[in-house]
Every structure is written in structure tokens, then in C-alpha cells.
Amino acid sequence: QSCHRLARPPPGPEPGGRGLPEGVEYIPTRKKGKNPMKPVGVAWYSLYAHTRLGYLFYQRQVKKARERYPQGHSASQPCHFPGVKIVPIPVLSNNYSYLIIDTGCGRAAVIDPSDPLAVQAAIEEEEVILEAIFCTHKHWDHSGGNAVLHQWHNSCKVYGSALDAIPELTSPLVDREKVSVGCLTIEALATPGHTVGHMVYVLDGGPFGGPHCLFSGDLLFLAGCGRLFEGSPETMLASLDVAVGLGDDTLLWPGHEYALECLTFASLLELDNPALEQKLQWVTQQRQEKRSTCPSTLGEEQTYNPFLRTHHPELQAAVGLRQGPGEHHNAFRARVLKEVRRRKDLYKAT
């Protein structure tokens, strides 16, 4: 199957500034959540992101997920185009790691190795040499496997932003820096908002006659975007615009399987959006069969992802906002994004 065929579906209180970086948005605590970052208040986020308690919580996640999903949380298919193979690896309860392979020389890189055993199993099955670990950000559900994999493959490098406390980081990257793995070229793009040092990675498919591939971590999901733990709506909007600028044909490989929840939420905002309705029907069927919904394309996402539609009058009306006199267009879009994000934070799928 080609990537293109896979991509197309069928017809509260303030924190008071105590220890928080400027621009951090306070999110009230919730009682339940399907992922570790849902029941999050200021204290919980600080513990999860900055202390050993977060790592211990991550280890518990890994143990429970291995017991509950011995074959992974979703059935996924590798994506091929000449000279390149992308292997999605479902890990934890809803995360994805990705093994990117230069099939000509058997060299590979992995994106966000959450569960090192699952990633190592894929490396052995594909019989490749791991040259690089690319980490989108510091959260344990994306970086928790770095240390073990680096120990097992001690010649491989660990890439990421120096602005995030990424475990085992050996090779800090800056915005627009490119890395070669075999004949593959992977570009790092700085996309702060979810964390201050969040990066996404873009595989250049051009030399192989394939599409660009965006490995978006927690910046962008199918019909969703990451929470604003360490950034403002303006920062996140700018980062999302960077992603959209990669082009409509770019394949989106997100860090989580959130498609059904995100699309269901989006359908409450835009009641008459045929593209959204069609995608929701397809995703519902996929998830009933425990199948992955990845990848989509950036072109698709702009037809139904509310976080990429802040410039659309329909969405602006749905959240009850109007552009103020003299208000800059992007400032207004950031206000729309903030309101959509607020509603999504409070939304609980039934």
C-alpha cells in the first residue's frame, strides 16, 4: 500500500506565578482522563514533567499498557515509497513511535521511543541499524525509552531541542537544522507551545518520489492539537502555521491516537461540515476495529481540524467571537484558538 492510499478515507483560578514560566496557561484539575496529561493542574504537571515521580508514573503506564495491549493499542500498517519505509509502532495506551528506514542501506531512525521493548522488537523485525533517536519533547510518554535504547545502541545519537530536558540528549538541534540518516534527510522545526522546546521532524520524501512526512509529536493530532502547557495561544498558533506551511500533500504522523475524540469534539463546533462528517464516519469504523487512523494529510486537516480553522467565519461564529476594531488578524485567530482549546480541555467524550 502506498502512503497516499493509507491517507485517504473512503467516500478557573490563577496560578499566581509561583514557579511557572511566563506564558504558561493554568488548567484546572480534572478527576479522570484517558491519558496522563488529562487530569492535570499546575502541581501535577510540574511533578510529571520535572521530577522522578513523573518517570515512575511513566513506568507504571508502560507496565499496564504491555499487559493490556500485548500487540499494541491499534493495528497499523507500514507505509512504503521507493527507498523509504515508515513503521508506526503503537505504544502505551494511545501513543505512537515511528521507525523510519532507508531501505537501500538498512539504516533507521526512531521518533519518540516511548516503550523501548516495542521499538526494539520493530528494529529486530526489520533487521535495521538504529542510527538516530529524534525526540519531539521532554514528556516521559515520548522520551521515556531514550535511555534504554541508547544503551542498547550506543553509537546512535539522540536529537532534540536543548530547551527541553530531553533524556540522553547527545545532539541538540536548532530550528531548520537537517540531519542525514543513510540517504534520508530529516529537518527539525521549532514548534513551541506544548512545551517550550517542542520540535517536529519532517522527512523529505522528494528524492524518493514520495510526499513530505511530518512527525508532529504533541503539536498536531488528527483533528486536534496539543495542550498549552508551556506557551501562549499566540505561540501555538505560530507553530501550527509553520506545520501548515509544509503543504497540503504532507503526511501527518501524530504522537497519539486521539482521532475519534478530537473529531467528535470538532463535530460539536461545526454542525454542517461534510468533510468532518465523512472523516468521523471513517474514523469511527477504524476505531471499532481497533485500527490506526494514521496518517492523514495537512490538506485534509485544514478541512476539519478546528485548530487549523481559526480563520474560518464558521468556526469563529461557533465559539461566539468577533474580531475587534483594529485587532490584528492573527491576534484574533489566537483568541479563537484559545477559546477552542479551553472548550476542548473541558470536553469529556462519552
Side-chain angles (χ1 to χ4, degrees):
Q1 272 185 310
S2 72
C3 296
H4 293 289
R5 289 175 62 192
L6 280 172
R8 295 191 192 112
E14 295 296 326
R18 293 173 290 184
L20 291 176
E22 183 179 357
V24 170
E25 179 181 1
Y26 176 78
I27 301 171
T29 302
R30 295 178 59 192
K31 293 182 179 179
K32 294 181 180 180
K34 293 182 179 180
N35 69 76
M37 304 315 293
K38 278 265 180 99
V40 66
V42 172
W44 168 242
Y45 178 71
S46 182
L47 288 171
Y48 180 81
H50 303 297
T51 74
R52 181 164 176 79
L53 288 177
Y55 181 69
L56 295 175
F57 184 86
Y58 152 77
Q59 288 183 311
R60 181 170 174 265
Q61 278 186 283
V62 173
K63 183 176 183 294
K64 290 178 67 176
R66 287 173 181 169
E67 292 171 352
R68 184 174 181 183
Y69 307 110
Q71 304 302 317
H73 58 74
S74 302
S76 60
Q77 294 292 326
C79 169
H80 300 265
F81 45 95
V84 181
K85 184 176 184 180
I86 298 170
V87 181
I89 309 170
V91 291
L92 304 185
S93 61
N94 53 42
N95 283 70
Y96 286 107
S97 301
Y98 296 98
L99 191 64
I100 310 170
I101 303 169
D102 176 345
T103 57
C105 67
R107 305 280 174 171
V110 66
I111 308 286
D112 288 352
S114 308
D115 182 345
L117 288 184
V119 172
Q120 181 63 25
I123 290 170
E124 293 177 1
E125 182 176 348
E126 298 295 332
E127 299 181 334
V128 294
I129 298 170
L130 185 66
E131 280 200 351
I133 296 170
F134 289 94
C135 206
T136 59
H137 63 293
K138 64 193 172 190
H139 291 159
W140 292 112
D141 61 321
H142 293 257
S143 66
N146 288 7
V148 172
L149 269 185
H150 191 220
Q151 182 179 5
W152 290 344
H153 305 270
N154 52 30
S155 65
C156 84
K157 295 180 179 180
V158 181
Y159 295 95
S161 171
L163 299 178
D164 263 20
I166 292 175
E168 301 294 315
L169 183 67
T170 65
S171 305
L173 295 172
V174 297
D175 186 36
R176 306 285 174 177
E177 189 169 354
K178 296 181 180 180
V179 177
S180 295
V181 177
C183 293
L184 309 178
T185 300
I186 296 172
E187 183 177 14
L189 300 177
T191 51
H194 184 66
T195 67
V196 68
H198 193 286
M199 281 187 151
V200 298
Y201 299 101
V202 182
L203 171 66
D204 182 3
F208 306 94
H212 291 325
C213 294
L214 169 62
F215 300 91
S216 61
D218 281 0
L219 170 69
L220 185 62
F221 310 126
L222 196 153
C225 83
R227 299 185 78 169
L228 280 63
F229 290 123
E230 299 180 8
S232 66
E234 290 80 6
T235 300
M236 179 61 87
L237 179 66
S239 293
L240 291 170
D241 284 348
V242 167
V244 169
L246 295 171
D248 289 356
D249 292 335
T250 300
L251 298 185
L252 173 65
W253 299 94
H256 289 271
E257 180 56 74
Y258 289 162
L260 184 56
E261 178 182 332
C262 288
L263 281 163
T264 303
F265 167 75
S267 70
L268 301 177
L269 296 177
E270 293 196 68
L271 303 179
D272 187 22
N273 183 331
L276 195 159
E277 293 174 9
Q278 182 182 6
K279 190 71 174 186
L280 179 56
Q281 290 177 3
W282 179 78
V283 164
T284 299
Q285 182 65 37
Q286 289 291 103
R287 297 313 298 152
Q288 286 175 348
E289 299 172 1
K290 303 297 182 185
R291 295 184 180 277
S292 171
T293 60
C294 307
S296 66
T297 69
L298 292 181
E300 267 192 273
E301 290 299 310
Q302 292 173 76
T303 67
Y304 52 66
N305 187 327
F307 298 98
L308 301 183
R309 293 173 60 78
T310 54
H311 57 295
H312 279 259
E314 297 87 351
L315 183 67
Q316 296 165 1
V319 296
L321 293 178
R322 292 184 178 181
Q323 188 169 354
E327 184 178 22
H328 189 277
H329 179 60
N330 282 345
F332 176 53
R333 290 177 60 212
R335 211 157 44 89
V336 174
L337 187 148
K338 181 178 181 179
E339 177 60 18
V340 176
R341 183 67 262 177
R342 184 190 71 82
R343 294 187 183 201
K344 180 63 174 66
D345 292 341
L346 298 174
Y347 170 75
K348 183 176 180 181
T350 55

